[in-house]
Amino acid sequence: MLENIRVVLVGTSHPGNIGGAARAMKNMGLSQLVLVDPRDFPSEDAVARASGATDILDAAQVVATLEEALVGCRLVMGTSARDRHIPWPMLEPRECGGVACEQAQQGAQVALVFGREYAGLTNEELQRCHYHVHIPSDPAFSSLNLAAAVQVLAYEVRMAWLATEGRPARQSAVVDPDEEPVAVDELESFYRHLEQALVEIRFLDPAKPRHLMSRLRRLYGRSAVSRLEMNILRGILTETIKAARGEHPKQEKADV
Amino acid sequence: MLENIRVVLVGTSHPGNIGGAARAMKNMGLSQLVLVDPRDFPSEDAVARASGATDILDAAQVVATLEEALVGCRLVMGTSARDRHIPWPMLEPRECGGVACEQAQQGAQVALVFGREYAGLTNEELQRCHYHVHIPSDPAFSSLNLAAAVQVLAYEVRMAWLATEGRPARQSAVVDPDEEPVAVDELESFYRHLEQALVEIRFLDPAKPRHLMSRLRRLYGRSAVSRLEMNILRGILTETIKAARGEHPKQEKADV
């Protein structure tokens, strides 16, 4: 179950922190580490700080973009400072552990995403997350060490797991695949298609996109869109674009 | 209140861990650090890892014995591996945070005691503690980094404190009316508008509607669509219908 939960570190500068994160993960029973464009990896410093969790470093997947790191994930949670311009569904670490466990127990791939040591995650990266997680630190000194932040979330995941361990999986045993939420990469394709349609119908001006797409990402991101619903939405977009281009065969005008 | 809770590190070998512990403490609002016979302190490594929590290092008290470190304390809790020969009252980190807070609130001095990196606390030291605290790590890889262990307990202390004390209002305290979910009657108007648009783009055949609208109702019905999001969705529908009817003013075709 815990193997369904991956830790994604984005743009890490200090390899020691990668090692510290690997150790914290292994202590808490997590094993899947994905590194997005790390500055220095593999590294001796990472091995030293991992202190025996080298199997996690050896198996770590290194990718170029966050998008690649999230392939197949149905639930993505990213750590964030509290105040952002666009309010986003915000969880505390305890809630994050609970939600992650619940989803992983149902067989979903879950990602916990951590940003750069100094700059965190970009707004674009944060918009790929279903939820933001804020560790309630002292506002006067709020930035945790990266490995310490991984430790806190991994600890809450483990606590939630220990609380449910032995409990039978929820009664979603036989799930119709059409009813299961799509993975984030399918959501990303949908957003691209949606954006294209909005440009075609002249609702979105590519020169002045404002917050439109991020608003729509927030809406659909929290809705756990199923495969069947996604097929409907994609069908609507395809027909919208055809209609906007006047590509529909001529016919008497429908009288609605 | 939190100033009544001290962190005591016994026989620390690596000064980096002292710095990491200081940072974790300050992130969580703790300030009193006591070092029992540290191998190397003060140290550059401690300052580097403290990453700005140098005030805690500067104010740290260095003593020769655990006994001195505990002077004035009414409650002492020491971290420990699970299996010890002498059974002792054992707390989980969450209970530890709760008890520490409760006592500190009543004006008691409380100590959280952490042992050596490799050997932990001796039996004699553990017997000076009222409670032992075990961080529920994976038995197959159970030893946390010292600063990570401090992070976990300090986090639980802070969570307990926030639960009882001036908890910063969650972001939903003052709700922007634009962010509130719309009422059901507005959703119904939206569904009518949506249906009309789907007919216009010929995605929905009024003669054979099948389950399309009920599928879309289920999707949007569970999403708690906010007023702002609803305005966006209605705007998209209006432009979709205009585009389908060819009512947009002629213009060079957008190059998407």
Side-chain angles (χ1 to χ4, degrees), chain A residues 188-225:
Chain A
E188 289 300 324
S189 307
F190 165 68
Y191 293 137
R192 284 192 290 272
H193 198 178
L194 176 59
E195 189 168 9
Q196 187 196 354
L198 295 181
V199 171
E200 293 270 355
I201 65 167
R202 310 213 190 138
F203 187 71
L204 173 62
D205 178 356
K208 274 190 296 180
R210 290 179 306 175
H211 294 308
L212 187 58
M213 285 311 300
S214 70
R215 295 283 183 189
L216 289 165
R217 277 172 173 274
R218 194 177 61 157
L219 168 61
Y220 291 102
R222 71 168 180 264
S223 301
V225 180

mmCIF file of all heavy atoms in Angstrom, chain A residues 188-225:
data_model
loop_
_atom_site.group_PDB
_atom_site.id
_atom_site.type_symbol
_atom_site.label_atom_id
_atom_site.label_comp_id
_atom_site.label_asym_id
_atom_site.label_seq_id
_atom_site.Cartn_x
_atom_site.Cartn_y
_atom_site.Cartn_z
ATOM 1 N N GLU A 188 -3.849 16.657 -17.877
ATOM 2 C CA GLU A 188 -3.026 17.655 -18.562
ATOM 3 C C GLU A 188 -3.395 17.735 -20.047
ATOM 4 O O GLU A 188 -3.496 18.829 -20.608
ATOM 5 C CB GLU A 188 -1.534 17.336 -18.403
ATOM 6 C CG GLU A 188 -0.999 17.555 -16.989
ATOM 7 C CD GLU A 188 -1.139 18.999 -16.502
ATOM 8 O OE1 GLU A 188 -0.994 19.924 -17.325
ATOM 9 O OE2 GLU A 188 -1.418 19.193 -15.305
ATOM 10 N N SER A 189 -3.604 16.588 -20.681
ATOM 11 C CA SER A 189 -4.020 16.616 -22.097
ATOM 12 C C SER A 189 -5.361 17.326 -22.225
ATOM 13 O O SER A 189 -5.592 18.076 -23.176
ATOM 14 C CB SER A 189 -4.189 15.204 -22.653
ATOM 15 O OG SER A 189 -3.063 14.446 -22.435
ATOM 16 N N PHE A 190 -6.251 17.057 -21.280
ATOM 17 C CA PHE A 190 -7.550 17.726 -21.291
ATOM 18 C C PHE A 190 -7.385 19.234 -21.192
ATOM 19 O O PHE A 190 -8.020 19.987 -21.933
ATOM 20 C CB PHE A 190 -8.412 17.201 -20.142
ATOM 21 C CG PHE A 190 -9.608 18.048 -19.828
ATOM 22 C CD1 PHE A 190 -10.682 18.153 -20.719
ATOM 23 C CD2 PHE A 190 -9.680 18.758 -18.626
ATOM 24 C CE1 PHE A 190 -11.787 18.940 -20.426
ATOM 25 C CE2 PHE A 190 -10.786 19.542 -18.334
ATOM 26 C CZ PHE A 190 -11.835 19.642 -19.233
ATOM 27 N N TYR A 191 -6.499 19.696 -20.301
ATOM 28 C CA TYR A 191 -6.320 21.152 -20.153
ATOM 29 C C TYR A 191 -5.807 21.776 -21.456
ATOM 30 O O TYR A 191 -6.208 22.867 -21.831
ATOM 31 C CB TYR A 191 -5.352 21.473 -19.002
ATOM 32 C CG TYR A 191 -5.889 21.108 -17.637
ATOM 33 C CD1 TYR A 191 -5.087 20.482 -16.686
ATOM 34 C CD2 TYR A 191 -7.210 21.400 -17.293
ATOM 35 C CE1 TYR A 191 -5.584 20.140 -15.434
ATOM 36 C CE2 TYR A 191 -7.709 21.056 -16.033
ATOM 37 C CZ TYR A 191 -6.892 20.428 -15.118
ATOM 38 O OH TYR A 191 -7.381 20.103 -13.888
ATOM 39 N N ARG A 192 -4.912 21.060 -22.133
ATOM 40 C CA ARG A 192 -4.410 21.595 -23.400
ATOM 41 C C ARG A 192 -5.546 21.690 -24.432
ATOM 42 O O ARG A 192 -5.671 22.679 -25.142
ATOM 43 C CB ARG A 192 -3.265 20.706 -23.933
ATOM 44 C CG ARG A 192 -1.947 20.926 -23.190
ATOM 45 C CD ARG A 192 -0.771 20.258 -23.911
ATOM 46 N NE ARG A 192 -0.836 18.802 -23.827
ATOM 47 C CZ ARG A 192 -0.313 18.084 -22.821
ATOM 48 N NH1 ARG A 192 0.324 18.684 -21.842
ATOM 49 N NH2 ARG A 192 -0.406 16.772 -22.820
ATOM 50 N N HIS A 193 -6.365 20.659 -24.473
ATOM 51 C CA HIS A 193 -7.491 20.628 -25.400
ATOM 52 C C HIS A 193 -8.483 21.751 -25.050
ATOM 53 O O HIS A 193 -8.966 22.481 -25.919
ATOM 54 C CB HIS A 193 -8.158 19.248 -25.283
ATOM 55 C CG HIS A 193 -9.055 18.886 -26.437
ATOM 56 N ND1 HIS A 193 -9.698 17.679 -26.514
ATOM 57 C CD2 HIS A 193 -9.449 19.563 -27.548
ATOM 58 C CE1 HIS A 193 -10.427 17.622 -27.624
ATOM 59 N NE2 HIS A 193 -10.296 18.753 -28.260
ATOM 60 N N LEU A 194 -8.760 21.891 -23.764
ATOM 61 C CA LEU A 194 -9.676 22.922 -23.289
ATOM 62 C C LEU A 194 -9.173 24.314 -23.673
ATOM 63 O O LEU A 194 -9.920 25.158 -24.184
ATOM 64 C CB LEU A 194 -9.816 22.814 -21.757
ATOM 65 C CG LEU A 194 -10.657 23.862 -21.035
ATOM 66 C CD1 LEU A 194 -12.102 23.865 -21.550
ATOM 67 C CD2 LEU A 194 -10.649 23.618 -19.517
ATOM 68 N N GLU A 195 -7.884 24.528 -23.449
ATOM 69 C CA GLU A 195 -7.301 25.828 -23.762
ATOM 70 C C GLU A 195 -7.454 26.134 -25.252
ATOM 71 O O GLU A 195 -7.823 27.245 -25.647
ATOM 72 C CB GLU A 195 -5.831 25.831 -23.355
ATOM 73 C CG GLU A 195 -5.183 27.200 -23.443
ATOM 74 C CD GLU A 195 -3.817 27.235 -22.765
ATOM 75 O OE1 GLU A 195 -3.298 26.166 -22.380
ATOM 76 O OE2 GLU A 195 -3.279 28.349 -22.634
ATOM 77 N N GLN A 196 -7.212 25.125 -26.059
ATOM 78 C CA GLN A 196 -7.330 25.292 -27.507
ATOM 79 C C GLN A 196 -8.770 25.676 -27.875
ATOM 80 O O GLN A 196 -9.005 26.614 -28.655
ATOM 81 C CB GLN A 196 -6.941 23.974 -28.187
ATOM 82 C CG GLN A 196 -6.863 24.070 -29.699
ATOM 83 C CD GLN A 196 -6.867 22.682 -30.359
ATOM 84 O OE1 GLN A 196 -6.811 21.656 -29.674
ATOM 85 N NE2 GLN A 196 -6.939 22.672 -31.671
ATOM 86 N N ALA A 197 -9.724 24.978 -27.288
ATOM 87 C CA ALA A 197 -11.131 25.264 -27.581
ATOM 88 C C ALA A 197 -11.497 26.680 -27.145
ATOM 89 O O ALA A 197 -12.211 27.403 -27.849
ATOM 90 C CB ALA A 197 -12.030 24.234 -26.894
ATOM 91 N N LEU A 198 -11.001 27.096 -25.985
ATOM 92 C CA LEU A 198 -11.338 28.430 -25.476
ATOM 93 C C LEU A 198 -10.766 29.516 -26.373
ATOM 94 O O LEU A 198 -11.355 30.593 -26.526
ATOM 95 C CB LEU A 198 -10.838 28.594 -24.036
ATOM 96 C CG LEU A 198 -11.501 27.668 -23.016
ATOM 97 C CD1 LEU A 198 -10.954 27.942 -21.618
ATOM 98 C CD2 LEU A 198 -13.018 27.813 -23.037
ATOM 99 N N VAL A 199 -9.619 29.228 -26.968
ATOM 100 C CA VAL A 199 -9.053 30.181 -27.920
ATOM 101 C C VAL A 199 -9.919 30.216 -29.181
ATOM 102 O O VAL A 199 -10.242 31.282 -29.698
ATOM 103 C CB VAL A 199 -7.591 29.815 -28.254
ATOM 104 C CG1 VAL A 199 -7.076 30.666 -29.410
ATOM 105 C CG2 VAL A 199 -6.705 30.006 -27.024
ATOM 106 N N GLU A 200 -10.330 29.039 -29.644
ATOM 107 C CA GLU A 200 -11.141 28.959 -30.876
ATOM 108 C C GLU A 200 -12.461 29.713 -30.734
ATOM 109 O O GLU A 200 -12.924 30.361 -31.667
ATOM 110 C CB GLU A 200 -11.431 27.494 -31.226
ATOM 111 C CG GLU A 200 -10.209 26.694 -31.620
ATOM 112 C CD GLU A 200 -9.918 26.739 -33.127
ATOM 113 O OE1 GLU A 200 -10.721 27.309 -33.879
ATOM 114 O OE2 GLU A 200 -8.864 26.195 -33.518
ATOM 115 N N ILE A 201 -13.083 29.601 -29.559
ATOM 116 C CA ILE A 201 -14.364 30.304 -29.382
ATOM 117 C C ILE A 201 -14.142 31.742 -28.917
ATOM 118 O O ILE A 201 -15.086 32.454 -28.574
ATOM 119 C CB ILE A 201 -15.311 29.579 -28.397
ATOM 120 C CG1 ILE A 201 -14.728 29.564 -26.974
ATOM 121 C CG2 ILE A 201 -15.645 28.167 -28.877
ATOM 122 C CD1 ILE A 201 -15.724 29.143 -25.907
ATOM 123 N N ARG A 202 -12.876 32.161 -28.869
ATOM 124 C CA ARG A 202 -12.501 33.536 -28.503
ATOM 125 C C ARG A 202 -12.872 33.911 -27.082
ATOM 126 O O ARG A 202 -13.171 35.066 -26.788
ATOM 127 C CB ARG A 202 -13.136 34.541 -29.482
ATOM 128 C CG ARG A 202 -12.864 34.123 -30.906
ATOM 129 C CD ARG A 202 -12.707 35.254 -31.824
ATOM 130 N NE ARG A 202 -12.698 34.730 -33.183
ATOM 131 C CZ ARG A 202 -13.327 35.280 -34.202
ATOM 132 N NH1 ARG A 202 -14.015 36.401 -34.017
ATOM 133 N NH2 ARG A 202 -13.263 34.746 -35.388
ATOM 134 N N PHE A 203 -12.905 32.908 -26.208
ATOM 135 C CA PHE A 203 -13.132 33.218 -24.802
ATOM 136 C C PHE A 203 -11.809 33.503 -24.119
ATOM 137 O O PHE A 203 -11.726 34.260 -23.170
ATOM 138 C CB PHE A 203 -13.836 32.042 -24.111
ATOM 139 C CG PHE A 203 -14.254 32.356 -22.708
ATOM 140 C CD1 PHE A 203 -15.306 33.228 -22.448
ATOM 141 C CD2 PHE A 203 -13.597 31.779 -21.619
ATOM 142 C CE1 PHE A 203 -15.698 33.530 -21.149
ATOM 143 C CE2 PHE A 203 -13.988 32.081 -20.321
ATOM 144 C CZ PHE A 203 -15.041 32.954 -20.088
ATOM 145 N N LEU A 204 -10.779 32.876 -24.637
ATOM 146 C CA LEU A 204 -9.444 33.050 -24.069
ATOM 147 C C LEU A 204 -8.568 33.751 -25.093
ATOM 148 O O LEU A 204 -8.430 33.285 -26.220
ATOM 149 C CB LEU A 204 -8.844 31.672 -23.723
ATOM 150 C CG LEU A 204 -7.383 31.644 -23.257
ATOM 151 C CD1 LEU A 204 -7.211 32.435 -21.974
ATOM 152 C CD2 LEU A 204 -6.938 30.206 -23.023
ATOM 153 N N ASP A 205 -8.000 34.880 -24.675
ATOM 154 C CA ASP A 205 -7.074 35.607 -25.532
ATOM 155 C C ASP A 205 -5.659 35.187 -25.133
ATOM 156 O O ASP A 205 -5.212 35.511 -24.032
ATOM 157 C CB ASP A 205 -7.285 37.115 -25.298
ATOM 158 C CG ASP A 205 -6.315 37.950 -26.129
ATOM 159 O OD1 ASP A 205 -5.442 37.371 -26.814
ATOM 160 O OD2 ASP A 205 -6.449 39.185 -26.085
ATOM 161 N N PRO A 206 -4.965 34.455 -26.017
ATOM 162 C CA PRO A 206 -3.629 33.952 -25.638
ATOM 163 C C PRO A 206 -2.687 35.082 -25.230
ATOM 164 O O PRO A 206 -1.739 34.866 -24.479
ATOM 165 C CB PRO A 206 -3.129 33.259 -26.911
ATOM 166 C CG PRO A 206 -4.325 33.067 -27.771
ATOM 167 C CD PRO A 206 -5.311 34.134 -27.408
ATOM 168 N N ALA A 207 -2.967 36.291 -25.704
ATOM 169 C CA ALA A 207 -2.110 37.419 -25.338
ATOM 170 C C ALA A 207 -2.414 37.907 -23.919
ATOM 171 O O ALA A 207 -1.574 38.529 -23.276
ATOM 172 C CB ALA A 207 -2.320 38.563 -26.329
ATOM 173 N N LYS A 208 -3.633 37.630 -23.452
ATOM 174 C CA LYS A 208 -4.007 38.059 -22.096
ATOM 175 C C LYS A 208 -4.731 36.926 -21.370
ATOM 176 O O LYS A 208 -5.938 36.999 -21.135
ATOM 177 C CB LYS A 208 -4.939 39.288 -22.174
ATOM 178 C CG LYS A 208 -4.193 40.612 -22.266
ATOM 179 C CD LYS A 208 -5.144 41.789 -22.082
ATOM 180 C CE LYS A 208 -6.165 41.874 -23.192
ATOM 181 N NZ LYS A 208 -7.119 42.991 -23.061
ATOM 182 N N PRO A 209 -3.988 35.865 -21.044
ATOM 183 C CA PRO A 209 -4.677 34.690 -20.485
ATOM 184 C C PRO A 209 -5.193 34.910 -19.059
ATOM 185 O O PRO A 209 -6.063 34.208 -18.601
ATOM 186 C CB PRO A 209 -3.589 33.617 -20.507
ATOM 187 C CG PRO A 209 -2.295 34.371 -20.479
ATOM 188 C CD PRO A 209 -2.555 35.668 -21.183
ATOM 189 N N ARG A 210 -4.663 35.892 -18.378
ATOM 190 C CA ARG A 210 -5.010 36.101 -16.952
ATOM 191 C C ARG A 210 -5.013 34.785 -16.154
ATOM 192 O O ARG A 210 -4.184 33.950 -16.378
ATOM 193 C CB ARG A 210 -6.337 36.852 -16.869
ATOM 194 C CG ARG A 210 -6.132 38.300 -17.339
ATOM 195 C CD ARG A 210 -7.419 39.064 -17.293
ATOM 196 N NE ARG A 210 -8.462 38.370 -18.029
ATOM 197 C CZ ARG A 210 -9.727 38.737 -18.088
ATOM 198 N NH1 ARG A 210 -10.125 39.768 -17.409
ATOM 199 N NH2 ARG A 210 -10.594 38.063 -18.807
ATOM 200 N N HIS A 211 -5.946 34.635 -15.244
ATOM 201 C CA HIS A 211 -5.933 33.428 -14.404
ATOM 202 C C HIS A 211 -6.895 32.361 -14.901
ATOM 203 O O HIS A 211 -7.221 31.435 -14.175
ATOM 204 C CB HIS A 211 -6.313 33.790 -12.973
ATOM 205 C CG HIS A 211 -5.302 34.667 -12.310
ATOM 206 N ND1 HIS A 211 -3.963 34.345 -12.276
ATOM 207 C CD2 HIS A 211 -5.428 35.840 -11.671
ATOM 208 C CE1 HIS A 211 -3.317 35.298 -11.640
ATOM 209 N NE2 HIS A 211 -4.167 36.220 -11.269
ATOM 210 N N LEU A 212 -7.359 32.513 -16.123
ATOM 211 C CA LEU A 212 -8.438 31.650 -16.565
ATOM 212 C C LEU A 212 -8.106 30.166 -16.449
ATOM 213 O O LEU A 212 -8.850 29.399 -15.840
ATOM 214 C CB LEU A 212 -8.803 32.004 -18.011
ATOM 215 C CG LEU A 212 -10.025 31.288 -18.553
ATOM 216 C CD1 LEU A 212 -11.253 31.572 -17.708
ATOM 217 C CD2 LEU A 212 -10.282 31.716 -19.998
ATOM 218 N N MET A 213 -6.978 29.751 -17.016
ATOM 219 C CA MET A 213 -6.673 28.322 -17.011
ATOM 220 C C MET A 213 -6.429 27.814 -15.597
ATOM 221 O O MET A 213 -6.790 26.698 -15.262
ATOM 222 C CB MET A 213 -5.470 28.013 -17.920
ATOM 223 C CG MET A 213 -5.784 28.052 -19.411
ATOM 224 S SD MET A 213 -7.260 27.104 -19.917
ATOM 225 C CE MET A 213 -6.819 25.431 -19.401
ATOM 226 N N SER A 214 -5.817 28.631 -14.754
ATOM 227 C CA SER A 214 -5.567 28.126 -13.399
ATOM 228 C C SER A 214 -6.871 27.967 -12.623
ATOM 229 O O SER A 214 -7.030 27.058 -11.829
ATOM 230 C CB SER A 214 -4.569 29.013 -12.664
ATOM 231 O OG SER A 214 -5.140 30.255 -12.366
ATOM 232 N N ARG A 215 -7.838 28.866 -12.896
ATOM 233 C CA ARG A 215 -9.152 28.699 -12.272
ATOM 234 C C ARG A 215 -9.803 27.395 -12.700
ATOM 235 O O ARG A 215 -10.409 26.683 -11.915
ATOM 236 C CB ARG A 215 -10.081 29.848 -12.684
ATOM 237 C CG ARG A 215 -9.648 31.211 -12.187
ATOM 238 C CD ARG A 215 -9.972 31.368 -10.732
ATOM 239 N NE ARG A 215 -9.610 32.699 -10.280
ATOM 240 C CZ ARG A 215 -9.617 33.062 -9.003
ATOM 241 N NH1 ARG A 215 -9.990 32.208 -8.071
ATOM 242 N NH2 ARG A 215 -9.278 34.283 -8.653
ATOM 243 N N LEU A 216 -9.691 27.115 -13.988
ATOM 244 C CA LEU A 216 -10.323 25.899 -14.506
ATOM 245 C C LEU A 216 -9.586 24.643 -14.018
ATOM 246 O O LEU A 216 -10.193 23.623 -13.740
ATOM 247 C CB LEU A 216 -10.383 25.957 -16.033
ATOM 248 C CG LEU A 216 -11.401 26.998 -16.541
ATOM 249 C CD1 LEU A 216 -11.196 27.296 -18.018
ATOM 250 C CD2 LEU A 216 -12.839 26.515 -16.292
ATOM 251 N N ARG A 217 -8.255 24.759 -13.886
ATOM 252 C CA ARG A 217 -7.489 23.652 -13.327
ATOM 253 C C ARG A 217 -7.943 23.354 -11.904
ATOM 254 O O ARG A 217 -8.049 22.203 -11.491
ATOM 255 C CB ARG A 217 -6.002 24.006 -13.255
ATOM 256 C CG ARG A 217 -5.256 23.802 -14.538
ATOM 257 C CD ARG A 217 -3.851 24.378 -14.401
ATOM 258 N NE ARG A 217 -3.076 24.035 -15.557
ATOM 259 C CZ ARG A 217 -2.399 22.893 -15.699
ATOM 260 N NH1 ARG A 217 -2.368 22.027 -14.712
ATOM 261 N NH2 ARG A 217 -1.742 22.641 -16.795
ATOM 262 N N ARG A 218 -8.193 24.402 -11.163
ATOM 263 C CA ARG A 218 -8.596 24.186 -9.783
ATOM 264 C C ARG A 218 -9.937 23.467 -9.731
ATOM 265 O O ARG A 218 -10.150 22.542 -8.952
ATOM 266 C CB ARG A 218 -8.676 25.519 -9.039
ATOM 267 C CG ARG A 218 -8.748 25.332 -7.563
ATOM 268 C CD ARG A 218 -8.766 26.652 -6.833
ATOM 269 N NE ARG A 218 -9.913 27.443 -7.210
ATOM 270 C CZ ARG A 218 -10.427 28.402 -6.459
ATOM 271 N NH1 ARG A 218 -9.874 28.695 -5.304
ATOM 272 N NH2 ARG A 218 -11.457 29.076 -6.860
ATOM 273 N N LEU A 219 -10.854 23.901 -10.589
ATOM 274 C CA LEU A 219 -12.193 23.292 -10.614
ATOM 275 C C LEU A 219 -12.119 21.808 -10.977
ATOM 276 O O LEU A 219 -12.582 20.945 -10.238
ATOM 277 C CB LEU A 219 -13.084 24.054 -11.604
ATOM 278 C CG LEU A 219 -14.414 23.393 -11.976
ATOM 279 C CD1 LEU A 219 -15.301 23.199 -10.754
ATOM 280 C CD2 LEU A 219 -15.147 24.234 -13.024
ATOM 281 N N TYR A 220 -11.500 21.505 -12.113
ATOM 282 C CA TYR A 220 -11.497 20.107 -12.560
ATOM 283 C C TYR A 220 -10.528 19.267 -11.729
ATOM 284 O O TYR A 220 -10.733 18.076 -11.538
ATOM 285 C CB TYR A 220 -11.182 20.019 -14.061
ATOM 286 C CG TYR A 220 -12.311 20.565 -14.908
ATOM 287 C CD1 TYR A 220 -12.235 21.826 -15.485
ATOM 288 C CD2 TYR A 220 -13.485 19.835 -15.078
ATOM 289 C CE1 TYR A 220 -13.286 22.338 -16.247
ATOM 290 C CE2 TYR A 220 -14.543 20.331 -15.823
ATOM 291 C CZ TYR A 220 -14.430 21.593 -16.408
ATOM 292 O OH TYR A 220 -15.477 22.085 -17.138
ATOM 293 N N GLY A 221 -9.472 19.924 -11.226
ATOM 294 C CA GLY A 221 -8.491 19.189 -10.429
ATOM 295 C C GLY A 221 -9.080 18.611 -9.163
ATOM 296 O O GLY A 221 -8.685 17.547 -8.700
ATOM 297 N N ARG A 222 -10.055 19.301 -8.570
ATOM 298 C CA ARG A 222 -10.600 18.795 -7.315
ATOM 299 C C ARG A 222 -11.778 17.860 -7.535
ATOM 300 O O ARG A 222 -12.330 17.319 -6.580
ATOM 301 C CB ARG A 222 -11.027 19.960 -6.419
ATOM 302 C CG ARG A 222 -12.264 20.690 -6.889
ATOM 303 C CD ARG A 222 -12.807 21.632 -5.804
ATOM 304 N NE ARG A 222 -13.987 22.319 -6.246
ATOM 305 C CZ ARG A 222 -14.024 23.532 -6.773
ATOM 306 N NH1 ARG A 222 -12.901 24.226 -6.910
ATOM 307 N NH2 ARG A 222 -15.148 24.062 -7.167
ATOM 308 N N SER A 223 -12.185 17.665 -8.792
ATOM 309 C CA SER A 223 -13.429 16.949 -9.058
ATOM 310 C C SER A 223 -13.262 15.463 -9.299
ATOM 311 O O SER A 223 -14.252 14.765 -9.490
ATOM 312 C CB SER A 223 -14.123 17.569 -10.273
ATOM 313 O OG SER A 223 -14.386 18.934 -10.026
ATOM 314 N N ALA A 224 -12.032 14.964 -9.272
ATOM 315 C CA ALA A 224 -11.810 13.529 -9.502
ATOM 316 C C ALA A 224 -12.598 13.066 -10.725
ATOM 317 O O ALA A 224 -13.433 12.168 -10.649
ATOM 318 C CB ALA A 224 -12.195 12.721 -8.258
ATOM 319 N N VAL A 225 -12.312 13.684 -11.866
ATOM 320 C CA VAL A 225 -13.037 13.386 -13.106
ATOM 321 C C VAL A 225 -12.795 11.921 -13.511
ATOM 322 O O VAL A 225 -11.651 11.478 -13.596
ATOM 323 C CB VAL A 225 -12.554 14.323 -14.238
ATOM 324 C CG1 VAL A 225 -13.295 14.013 -15.534
ATOM 325 C CG2 VAL A 225 -12.745 15.780 -13.838
#
